[in-house]
Amino acid sequence: MRRSKGTYAVPMSRRLGVEWGPAAWAVVAVLAMVIIMAIAAWCNWEASKGDFWRLKLVDFISPVAALLVGVLLANLFSSREAKQLHKSEILERLAICAQETCRAAVMSTYSYVRDPSRKREREVLTEFQNLSRAVGLLRTAKITDATIPYEPRLSECFFELKATATDSPFGQDRPSFTEERARRLERLSANFDKEFLRFRLAIYS
Amino acid sequence: MYSGMFPERGSRMTSDARTINIAMEFSSTPGARYRSDGPYSGEEFREAILETALQESGPDACVEIVLDGTEGYATSFLEEAFGGLARKLGCDVCLQRLRFRSEEDPLLVEEIQRYIRGADE
């Protein structure tokens, strides 16, 4: 499976949006704790009437403990989100690889139609075999990750595209593809492309 | 990964069930639909391997088909081999007696089952 330069990179805005959404809440929680600590410290200071030596050890420990808990919570939230983001990125890379394999399969079909040969015929079948494996993997990933709010039509699109590309007269000594079939191939490949985009968008929704 | 359907009532899936490994017993480069299209066609596979295996294994026994190890299958090959068999024997008999296995490409099993189901249409 091929991958063109830089196409799989997740846009920074989206990355920030996903990674910092819940993490921002954790930061807000930490800030709130710091403010509460400051108020508590000020109240203690007032209660001690400005005399430092009247403060007790617990007056120092409780704000530090609150800060520690806040930092731990923030760390927990952000690491969980980072893990989910990493998983989504891997899934998207897989989808992009599959999308590019699909384009490669369609391109090799076009070159076979223009100039049929046994070598090109094998190339087309190998590309479709790669595509089938990639779509199978994506479908499995979708099944295991129930958070993706999307019912993929990837396998349907794949079956239609493959049937249009590799059914008779494909593989004959002198195959002749009709104009109507070439248009159908183009339309199905565009649909498949659209389906891949829908899948990629659904990963981050 | 075993990707076939569960054996239905009345079918036998014994340990000595016939197994056809397409890459080993037929070709690692399966061809097109008819014999006239070139070597290793779906028609040739159906008549020479598949139907013979079904006849030899008895009326209710299952035949397991291993799909791995080839360089890809054309739709014309699969449709003629398995859809063609379903047109001869019936869709239900084919689904009942044929078990497909592919660890490399589980989607291929689903594709073949579609051709078998679509043979009646």
Side-chain angles (χ1 to χ4, degrees):
Chain A
M1 286 190 281
R2 286 175 296 183
R3 195 176 68 189
S4 71
K5 193 181 171 187
T7 48
Y8 65 81
V10 179
M12 188 54 79
S13 57
R14 192 201 296 167
R15 181 189 284 262
L16 290 175
V18 173
E19 196 167 12
W20 288 102
W25 284 105
V27 171
V28 168
V30 172
L31 281 175
M33 280 184 186
V34 168
I35 291 166
I36 291 166
M37 275 163 42
I39 293 169
W42 183 75
C43 289
N44 286 338
W45 183 255
E46 281 297 302
S48 67
K49 294 185 174 59
D51 185 359
F52 176 78
W53 300 107
R54 290 179 69 180
L55 288 174
K56 293 172 189 161
L57 184 61
V58 70
D59 296 332
F60 292 102
I61 290 172
S62 59
V64 171
L67 184 66
L68 204 65
V69 169
V71 168
L72 284 175
L73 277 177
N75 191 38
L76 185 76
F77 274 109
S78 59
S79 65
R80 190 184 292 175
E81 285 306 309
K83 198 174 164 188
Q84 180 61 36
L85 178 76
H86 186 59
K87 204 167 134 190
S88 302
E89 280 176 344
I90 290 172
L91 201 55
E92 196 193 12
R93 273 181 220 177
L94 184 63
I96 288 167
C97 282
Q99 194 172 5
E100 288 178 2
T101 309
C102 174
R103 284 174 192 158
V106 171
M107 292 316 288
S108 59
T109 306
Y110 283 144
S111 60
Y112 170 77
V113 169
R114 273 195 299 274
D115 184 16
S117 68
R118 290 288 170 209
K119 186 172 172 272
R120 288 206 171 90
E121 182 190 318
R122 294 309 334 158
E123 278 173 11
V124 172
L125 292 179
T126 307
E127 293 287 5
F128 272 101
Q129 191 179 42
N130 291 340
L131 182 58
S132 178
R133 289 171 185 172
V135 169
L137 269 175
L138 279 179
R139 218 172 52 155
T140 311
K142 158 70 185 87
I143 292 164
T144 48
D145 189 349
T147 56
I148 302 172
Y150 166 66
E151 271 309 311
R153 279 194 68 251
L154 291 173
S155 40
E156 295 295 314
C157 288
F158 168 73
F159 294 144
E160 285 178 16
L161 185 71
K162 188 184 169 188
T164 305
T166 68
D167 203 349
S168 303
F170 181 89
Q172 292 177 350
D173 283 338
R174 281 180 291 279
S176 59
F177 288 85
T178 59
E179 280 291 311
E180 193 268 328
R181 187 150 170 179
R183 277 198 299 276
R184 184 174 156 78
L185 188 69
E186 206 168 311
R187 184 166 48 81
L188 289 174
S189 125
N191 281 352
F192 207 173
D193 226 33
K194 212 185 294 174
E195 205 58 31
F196 276 120
L197 288 176
R198 277 185 63 202
F199 185 85
R200 284 168 59 189
L201 285 173
I203 293 170
Y204 290 100
S205 59
Chain B
M1 182 183 159
Y2 177 70
S3 308
M5 294 165 69
F6 289 109
E8 290 172 19
R9 190 173 291 173
S11 67
R12 271 190 301 130
M13 187 72 185
T14 53
S15 58
D16 59 343
R18 173 85 160 89
T19 300
I20 301 170
N21 187 320
I22 296 181
M24 304 281 278
E25 294 176 43
F26 186 63
S27 170
S28 59
T29 55
R33 186 179 288 271
Y34 300 117
R35 286 177 194 269
S36 56
D37 294 339
Y40 308 120
S41 64
E43 187 182 29
E44 186 184 340
F45 173 72
R46 176 169 50 80
E47 290 174 355
I49 309 268
L50 202 53
E51 289 178 358
T52 311
L54 283 168
Q55 280 167 7
E56 284 171 357
S57 57
D60 296 324
C62 291
V63 171
E64 188 182 49
I65 297 154
V66 180
L67 301 158
D68 292 337
T70 67
E71 293 177 23
Y73 297 90
T75 296
S76 47
F77 176 90
L78 295 174
E79 210 289 320
E80 184 55 36
F82 302 106
L85 189 73
R87 280 188 285 277
K88 274 182 128 177
L89 303 180
C91 164
D92 292 338
V93 173
C94 282
L95 289 173
Q96 195 179 323
R97 294 191 62 194
L98 298 181
R99 302 276 170 270
F100 300 99
R101 201 174 72 193
S102 177
E103 287 173 25
E104 294 171 359
D105 185 6
L107 200 63
L108 185 59
V109 176
E110 203 176 304
E111 188 184 346
I112 293 170
Q113 285 171 347
R114 275 171 62 101
Y115 297 138
I116 293 174
R117 288 195 185 95
D120 293 340
E121 292 166 7

